[in-house]
Each structure stands twice: as structure tokens, then as C-alpha cells.
Amino acid sequence: MAAPKKVCIVGAGPSGLVAAKSLLHDQPKGTFDVTILEAQNRLGGLWPSRKDDNAGFVHPLMVANQSKHTVQFSDLAWPDDAPEFPRAWHIGRYLEAYHDRYCRDAKLHLGERVVHSELLQPSDQSVEGAKWKVRTCSQDGQQLDHTFDYLLVASGFFGKPVIPPPVAASGDIPVIHSSQYRTLSALLEQTKGVGRKIVVVGGQMSGVEIAGTIATHLSSALHAPGSSPLQHLDKYSIHHISQRPVWVFPLFTSPKPASPAPPFLPMDLCSYNLANRPHNLTNMQGHVSTEAAKTRHSIFETMLGTDQSDFSSSLAITKTDTHQPPYLAVSDTYADFLRSGLISVSRGKVDSLAGSTVTVTTARGEVSEIDNVAAVVLATGFEAASSISFLPSSVQEILSVVPSDLTTTVALAFHGTHHPAIPSLGFVGFYRSPYWGVMEMQARFVTALWAAGGPASSSLPPRMAAALGEDDSIERTLALRTDPRVSQFPMGDYPWLMQEFSRALEIDRIPPLGKMPRVPPADQSMDILTPARYPAKRTSEAQRTEVTKSIQQTESTAWSGVSSARFVAKAVFRSLLGEWKLERDLVSRLPTHPSGHFSGTARFLLRERTRDGREAEYDAAVERDDDIGLEYLYVEEGMFAASNGLSFRATRRYVWRYDEKKDKLSVWFVKTDDQKRADYLFHQVEFIIPDTEAEGAPQAWRANAGHLCIDDFYDVDYRFNFKAVNLKDWSLAYRVKGPKKDYMIEGTYTR
């Protein structure tokens, strides 16, 4: 029996771990001897496994912008109680579990950074036929040399934060990269009380996400009970500078956006429904023609139900914008904070930072200034070249490495897996915004390629050989570097990449386990793409059990979202943010209590969830390390005109809460002596599943609740009128009946 081939994997993040799993499990035992070298003193790469791990590029509390059904590998299902959208530290824990299950046979070296590698020439390969010499440096400075047959790069595309020269040298105000932001207090403490505007630079995913995050933290600090150590919070605002327009999606969208009572699902379950794509998928990324751009923009507008002008004219996607490739971002709060005025956005490019003034050239070539700046947060991305700085310059030249190109830094064959000129070098996850399913496919492909002897081997399986013969990935990547119509994610779109890998590897996508709900526009059963639909050809019974569990979780989520009111409470809660116009009629049936009309505003002020009124539950959640979540302080103010001619100013406050684990929305009374603090439960909102096909069916989601207050019973009726994913308007009616009360209150909330 031949000796195992020695493989060095650089990086113990998701790419490195799935590569190790594939090398150890997808081929007969003993084919490969795997060593993982990781610079950090923990595995997980970007993903921390503790809520207090703030050392990396990712905030441990950051919510993933894809659900657990997409952020997973095929043969490890998430725990049943995992949130639909895990936070970063949840993902770190998942990776620890994945390592413990599948990668124990790999030699894991933590705290050893790869600082140099050498591709040995044939005459140098005297050490047991080794092809690579790899030098590592430990955290205490000790250097060691290792020899391997193969080198696999899984060091990640997020190499080093990009700091644009116009703002890199300022010493007057703090300038940080978005990956360094952790808390509002830490940011504002650096300002020393100077300035009131927080400028966010960068308009793609991270720009929208960090602007929404800072706005959430600012709102929470401003509206939390008690006094804040931060001063003048009401004077701060966020100014977002973006070079291009962007569609902003919430985490939950609807598979039936035109429905009067739309159901909701995690956004990726809607986006990756293959029933809405042709069976032979074509690449929707890379070069985007004008017609393809218009089509994608139209799809996004349909999904959101708006061109985003509902939120702000500065966020609107214009007709001219639809001629260009679309860009998207994900945030539950950004658009509504923009509508509220806490965030403002302008299209342009930062020219300079002098003192506390940022100079911007707008898209029209006009120069403007933002003064009184307190801090600048750069959401300007990462360069990937530093992640492969250990590769020899001769190798980097073959790979066509261009450090300044942040999206197509290297040109690799067959969708980012290797280069035919260096058959002993492989890559997994080394592209912008890699999907976990694609990482797993890349790992399988490199494993199969090396097991067969390399890309030029006559032992390659016929389908793989044919796929390599037809592959134009290197040429396509090089062409995209100068393409003015390149897409946001030039590597290729997720479903198409999964199709291409599955064909080359002869891995069939397994069908759904059961009947799936039918949804528009194709009116076909949902066919949701997840990694678990593509299990490896060599799987154990335990792996098959995990595959089945994962698919069942996805199918159960799809059914509960489409056929019940699951996630509607979340959609309502998310869409309440900000200010509403409120008109309310009070009709009394008792002559001792006058009728009247209230006219005013209602504001839903977002903040971190508080302990008041639910102390035991809150403490138990903290003990379990659960997410505490968010809530609103509800404040209504206006004038009440009574039927007897009297009028007076009126105000009312509540606390609105959403419980993610229970998927429940509830309303709480506030304390009379501190109206920022919750007192006790008023009612829990129970959504009614509509029969939208029945004659006279309701044209909105309805919900009801009840509350007995001593001798008075409050019968509560809600109607939530959505336009696709966003609340257009809603109403709230109370019928109050008691020994001394008999009246009806009906209020309508509009933007």
C-alpha cells in the first residue's frame, strides 16, 4: 500500500476544516495525511466561538446575512434550537462541533503562522518526494520547516483591511475599519467629545450593515432606561457615503410578495428556490448585460415591493440605475433608520479628511463637505493578497495575483480550485463572499483531483476530465478585471456553481424528502438549494442521518412559513421601526365618558431588550448564553379633541417586544414612575392564519389579543397591511368592556 500523501492546509476556518474533512473522508482511509496550520490560537477563522471574543475581524454578535440552512455543511445539521440566522459566535461553535466530528485525524497546529513556502524543484524533492517546503512561525517567534506533497490554501479572502489613502493619515478624529467596530461607547470615547457626525464610508454589504448596526446602538443608548455615560446622544447622526446604489433586503422576505397577507421565510430560502430557475442553470454573475441587469433589478423591486423611494429619495433605485449591474445588501434596520433621519446617505467618493471635515465628490462631480465629524468608519473591504503572501513570487506570478484587485485577486481554474501549472497547489474558499456549499464542493474537487494524480492525469474520472477540458475560469477571471459591467460577486452565482461542481463530481442533488409548498411565480413546489441536498458519494450512516436531519429542518421551516403565521411577528416587529402618523377614534357608549378623536404620531424607538417585567426569563437566557434581542419603546404624542368640546395634549407609552425563540410579539405597560421601563404584560399578539383564497378573504394579516385589567376586559384586534415585505399601514382596535367602561377605540397608523 502506498504511503499517504502529506497535505498542508493553511487556515482552520470553514474552508480549512471542510478541506480536511474531504481529504480524510472522501477517499479511502490512508490516502492523505492532513496537517492544518492556523495562525490564531483557536480554530474557526473569522468566526469566534465566544460572545466576548473581540480579537478578530468579525463582531461575535454579528448576525449572519444567510440563514443556518445555507451557512452549513452537508453532513452536520444545526441544533434544533439554533436561531434561523445565527450570530458569528454560533457559527464558531458550529465549526468546533464540525472539527470534533470529522477532523480529529488531522494534525491541528494552532498559533503557527505560515510565513514562507517554497515549491521544490524535482532535484530538490529528496525529502520523501516532498513538493513543498513550508515555514511557520509560532507566537513566541520560533520558526519551523515542514515538508509536504500538497499545499492547500484555505487562509481566507479577508486578508487585511483596506484603508483608502484620503483618510488613512488623519490624527484629529478616530478612523477605524468596520471590522474593528465593537461598541458605540468605545468609538465615541475616542472622539473626546469632538464632532457629532459619524461617517461610514463604503456602499456594499459591510457599509449598509455597519451603518445599521451603529444606528441601532445609538438608538438603544439614547432610549434605554436610566442615564447613559455617553453625552449628547440625541445630537449624533450617521452619514453614509456610497459610490453606487444598493438594494437593501431584510433577513426575512416573502415567497408570495404580491399576497395581501404575505408569508415570510428566511431570505435565502426564497432566493435559492430552484423551481424559479431553468433546469439548466446559467451564470447570473460575472459579466452582466444591460438586459440582464434590468431583469435582476425588476426581480428585486418585486421582492421588496418598492424602488426604495418609500424610505428616502436618496435610497431610490432610478430607471438609469437599472441599466447597471445591481448590488444588494442585507439589514433589518438600515432603510427605516434612513427614513427616520438617523442615517443619511449620499452617493460619492471621499476625497479627503482634514480636521473634522470630510470632502466628498458626488456622482455628478459636485464637491461637498461634511463638517463636525466625530469619527469615520471605513467599510472599504479587505485585500486578499496578504492571505497568500507566503507563496513564492514565482507562484504568485503564475496565479496572476493583483493585490489592488479586491474581487478577482487571483486567476484560478475550475471555479477557484487550482492552477494547472502548479498541480500540487489547491484552493478552497478563496474568493469574494464564498458560500459554504461551494466551499464544500471545492474541497471535494481538489480531493478528487489529487487522488487521481492531478489535472493532467489519465486517471481522472471522465466527467471531471471533460469539465476541466471545457473550463474557462482563468480566462473569464482575467477578462472581468477590466469589465465595466462586472457583477457584485464575479466568481459566479451560488446555484450555478453548485450545478457545475455536482456535474464534474457526479454528485446528484437528492430530491426533497416530502411534498413541498407551491409558490409563485412558477406555481411549482419549492425546490430549495441547501448544501445537504448534495451529500458526498462516500457517506457513513451517521453522515446520512445528519443530511436527512438538515433537509428536514429546511423543509419544516418552508412549510411552517408558507402555511402558518411563523415569522410574521418578526416581519411586523422589524417593519414598525420609526415614526407613524396616528389617527384614532374613541366611541363611548356611556354618557359619562365622552367620545373623541386623537391625532398625532407614534414612534417605535429601537433598543436592546431590557430585563424589566421578565427578570427570571431574562436571567435564564443570559445563563444559557442566548441572544437577548431587541425591543421598542413606543411613544405616542398628539392632541385629543373630545366630543364635549374639550381638547388636550395626550401621550401614551408601551414597550413592544419580539421573542425569537417563541416567535411571539408582545406589548407591555410601562412603569408610572419611569416610563422608559416595562412594568407588566398588557397582551401577547396572536396572528390568525388567513384563508386568502376564500371569498371575502381579509386583505391583510390579522391578529388578536385579550387583557383583563381588574374588572375591565380589553378585546384587541390588529390588521397589518403589507406591501411585499414592508408594512404599508396598520390598525389597532380595542373594545373595552367593564362595570364602568364601554367604549371602542380604533386607530390607524400610516407613514
Side-chain angles (χ1 to χ4, degrees):
M1 181 177 177
K5 293 293 184 180
K6 297 171 65 178
V7 180
C8 171
I9 298 175
V10 183
S15 298
L17 294 178
V18 76
K21 189 283 301 269
S22 296
L23 290 162
L24 293 169
H25 294 272
D26 289 358
Q27 297 295 325
K29 188 176 180 63
T31 302
F32 295 105
D33 178 4
V34 178
T35 298
I36 307 173
L37 302 176
E38 169 57 52
Q40 300 180 92
N41 57 12
R42 61 161 177 80
L43 56 80
L46 289 174
W47 306 103
S49 59
R50 301 192 323 273
K51 294 172 72 172
D52 61 351
D53 182 352
N54 290 309
F57 285 152
V58 173
H59 194 305
L61 300 182
M62 184 196 78
V63 177
N65 56 28
Q66 301 284 346
S67 77
K68 64 183 180 182
H69 308 281
T70 300
V71 182
Q72 62 166 232
F73 294 127
S74 65
D75 46 9
L76 184 62
W78 280 85
D80 289 328
D81 62 349
E84 289 295 321
F85 286 87
R87 293 184 180 268
W89 70 274
H90 295 138
I91 297 172
R93 294 271 178 93
Y94 176 94
L95 291 171
E96 288 181 341
Y98 189 82
H99 168 268
D100 290 346
R101 178 169 295 216
Y102 294 118
C103 303
R104 283 294 189 183
D105 288 340
K107 305 177 186 72
L108 177 62
H109 296 253
L110 298 176
E112 287 197 33
R113 179 182 299 278
V114 176
V115 293
H116 179 73
S117 64
E118 182 182 352
L119 178 59
L120 301 175
Q121 300 303 316
S123 59
D124 299 329
Q125 295 178 15
S126 56
V127 186
E128 300 178 4
K131 297 178 178 66
W132 287 92
K133 181 186 290 185
V134 175
R135 179 168 296 164
T136 63
C137 182
S138 65
Q139 293 181 343
D140 61 6
Q142 182 181 5
Q143 293 194 354
L144 293 173
D145 286 340
H146 313 260
T147 53
F148 299 97
D149 298 295
Y150 295 99
L151 179 62
L152 195 150
V153 176
S155 47
F157 212 66
F158 293 110
K160 185 171 64 176
V162 172
I163 309 297
V167 294
S170 173
D172 296 308
I173 61 173
V175 177
I176 67 168
H177 193 266
S178 58
S179 61
Q180 298 171 297
Y181 177 83
R182 291 297 179 265
T183 65
L184 182 68
S185 59
L187 178 66
L188 296 185
E189 282 170 5
Q190 298 179 59
T191 69
K192 300 177 182 178
V194 175
R196 292 292 180 264
K197 297 172 183 175
I198 300 171
V199 173
V200 173
V201 181
Q204 295 198 41
M205 285 275 195
S206 59
V208 169
E209 289 175 3
I210 196 64
T213 296
I214 296 173
T216 299
H217 291 175
L218 186 56
S219 177
S220 183
L222 181 60
H223 302 298
S227 59
S228 172
L230 301 174
Q231 301 298 312
H232 310 295
L233 287 170
D234 59 328
K235 305 297 183 183
Y236 283 95
S237 58
I238 298 161
H239 293 251
H240 183 199
I241 303 170
S242 171
Q243 293 191 46
R244 57 177 58 84
V246 62
W247 292 98
V248 182
F249 277 74
L251 293 172
F252 289 83
T253 57
S254 178
K256 300 180 180 180
S259 171
F264 288 88
L265 288 173
M267 62 171 294
D268 44 339
L269 269 59
C270 300
S271 300
Y272 307 137
N273 176 16
L274 298 179
N276 292 333
R277 296 278 296 267
H279 290 301
N280 186 29
L281 298 173
T282 56
N283 187 12
M284 298 178 67
Q285 298 288 340
H287 173 83
V288 181
S289 68
T290 300
E291 288 307 310
K294 290 179 179 178
T295 299
R296 295 301 294 169
H297 280 289
S298 176
I299 291 171
F300 291 168
E301 183 170 353
T302 298
M303 293 177 69
L304 293 178
T306 175
D307 63 1
Q308 301 188 141
S309 59
D310 297 354
F311 299 99
S312 170
S313 59
S314 60
L315 191 62
I317 305 296
T318 67
K319 185 176 181 179
T320 302
D321 293 333
T322 63
H323 295 184
Q324 298 301 316
Y327 279 65
L328 63 85
V330 180
S331 173
D332 270 353
T333 61
Y334 178 89
D336 279 305
F337 275 132
L338 187 61
R339 171 162 36 201
S340 74
L342 185 57
I343 297 176
S344 62
V345 62
S346 58
R347 294 189 197 176
K349 184 177 181 180
V350 173
D351 288 329
S352 66
L353 169 61
S356 60
T357 300
V358 172
T359 303
V360 179
T361 299
T362 68
R364 297 179 179 179
E366 302 167 348
V367 177
S368 64
E369 291 185 346
I370 302 174
D371 60 5
N372 199 28
V373 174
V376 176
V377 179
L378 301 172
T380 43
F382 294 81
E383 57 88 358
S386 61
S387 292
I388 52 173
S389 60
F390 55 83
L391 291 177
S393 58
S394 58
V395 169
Q396 294 195 38
E397 185 176 351
I398 293 171
L399 301 178
S400 302
V401 174
V402 178
S404 60
D405 190 321
L406 305 185
T407 55
T408 53
T409 306
V410 296
L412 300 171
F414 207 76
H415 312 301
T417 54
H418 69 289
H419 196 289
I422 315 174
S424 59
L425 178 64
F427 289 79
V428 172
F430 201 77
Y431 73 98
R432 189 166 182 268
S433 298
Y435 282 82
W436 289 47
V438 175
M439 285 191 276
E440 188 169 34
M441 287 293 201
Q442 289 177 322
R444 292 167 177 170
F445 190 89
V446 171
T447 296
L449 193 66
W450 287 347
S457 173
S458 59
S459 300
L460 285 172
R463 292 273 288 274
M464 178 176 278
L468 288 173
E470 298 169 0
D471 178 48
D472 65 348
S473 297
I474 292 176
E475 295 78 8
R476 185 157 39 86
T477 299
L478 295 175
L480 288 173
R481 286 178 173 173
T482 55
D483 188 344
R485 300 195 60 83
V486 67
S487 65
Q488 184 177 12
F489 306 110
M491 172 76 167
D493 78 284
Y494 175 38
W496 177 74
L497 287 170
M498 294 296 283
Q499 170 189 271
E500 296 303 288
F501 276 110
S502 66
R503 287 176 175 175
L505 293 166
E506 300 182 72
I507 296 176
D508 294 328
R509 185 176 75 245
I510 62 177
L513 299 180
K515 182 181 177 181
M516 293 293 286
R518 300 177 72 90
V519 298
D523 192 32
Q524 295 182 3
S525 299
M526 295 189 79
D527 187 12
I528 301 169
L529 169 62
T530 66
R533 298 283 302 281
Y534 296 89
K537 288 188 286 188
R538 287 172 56 95
T539 54
S540 65
E541 184 177 348
Q543 286 176 294
R544 290 191 290 273
T545 298
E546 291 295 315
V547 167
T548 300
K549 179 182 177 182
S550 180
I551 296 175
Q552 287 174 338
Q553 287 175 340
T554 302
E555 294 184 1
S556 174
T557 298
W559 269 112
S560 62
V562 171
S563 62
S564 74
R566 190 178 180 192
F567 308 128
V568 175
K570 168 66 174 176
V572 167
F573 181 82
R574 186 262 309 164
S575 203
L576 288 171
L577 175 61
E579 182 172 297
W580 296 81
K581 298 175 184 176
L582 171 57
E583 301 292 334
R584 178 188 292 129
D585 289 313
L586 185 153
V587 178
S588 175
R589 291 179 172 83
L590 299 177
T592 53
H593 290 72
S595 300
H597 179 81
F598 174 90
S599 182
T601 61
R603 291 179 297 149
F604 285 84
L605 306 172
L606 193 63
R607 68 187 192 185
E608 184 176 314
R609 199 164 178 183
T610 54
R611 183 172 178 267
D612 299 312
R614 51 187 287 275
E615 290 81 2
E617 180 186 350
Y618 183 98
D619 293 343
V622 171
E623 182 69 24
R624 294 192 304 269
D625 238 1
D626 285 351
D627 180 32
I628 300 304
L630 299 169
E631 67 185 21
Y632 291 116
L633 175 63
Y634 170 94
V635 179
E636 70 175 53
E637 297 173 310
M639 294 298 296
F640 181 78
S643 57
N644 61 9
L646 294 176
S647 64
F648 53 88
R649 188 156 190 83
T651 184
R652 182 180 299 181
R653 294 190 176 205
Y654 297 104
V655 171
W656 286 55
R657 289 170 167 164
Y658 173 69
D659 186 317
E660 183 175 0
K661 277 191 174 294
K662 298 177 181 177
D663 191 33
K664 292 294 184 181
L665 189 63
S666 60
V667 185
W668 296 66
F669 289 110
V670 296
K671 294 180 180 292
T672 56
D673 59 344
D674 186 348
Q675 295 200 339
K676 280 190 173 183
R677 297 181 61 187
D679 194 358
Y680 60 94
L681 179 67
F682 181 10
H683 59 259
Q684 186 165 276
V685 181
E686 299 290 344
F687 286 87
I688 302 168
I689 301 172
D691 182 1
T692 55
E693 306 300 324
E695 185 176 350
Q699 296 303 300
W701 274 102
R702 290 191 59 194
N704 55 30
H707 172 75
L708 181 63
C709 183
I710 308 177
D711 295 326
D712 304 320
F713 186 76
Y714 289 71
D715 188 9
V716 189
D717 180 70
Y718 289 91
R719 293 175 186 266
F720 295 103
N721 182 24
F722 278 90
K723 185 179 181 183
V725 299
N726 296 303
L727 272 179
K728 181 181 179 183
D729 53 66
W730 58 287
S731 63
L732 171 57
Y734 294 93
R735 175 66 189 273
V736 184
K737 188 76 172 176
K740 296 182 180 181
K741 293 181 181 179
D742 189 358
Y743 60 87
M744 172 71 77
I745 296 177
E746 291 187 78
T748 300
Y749 297 75
T750 61
R751 289 291 192 184

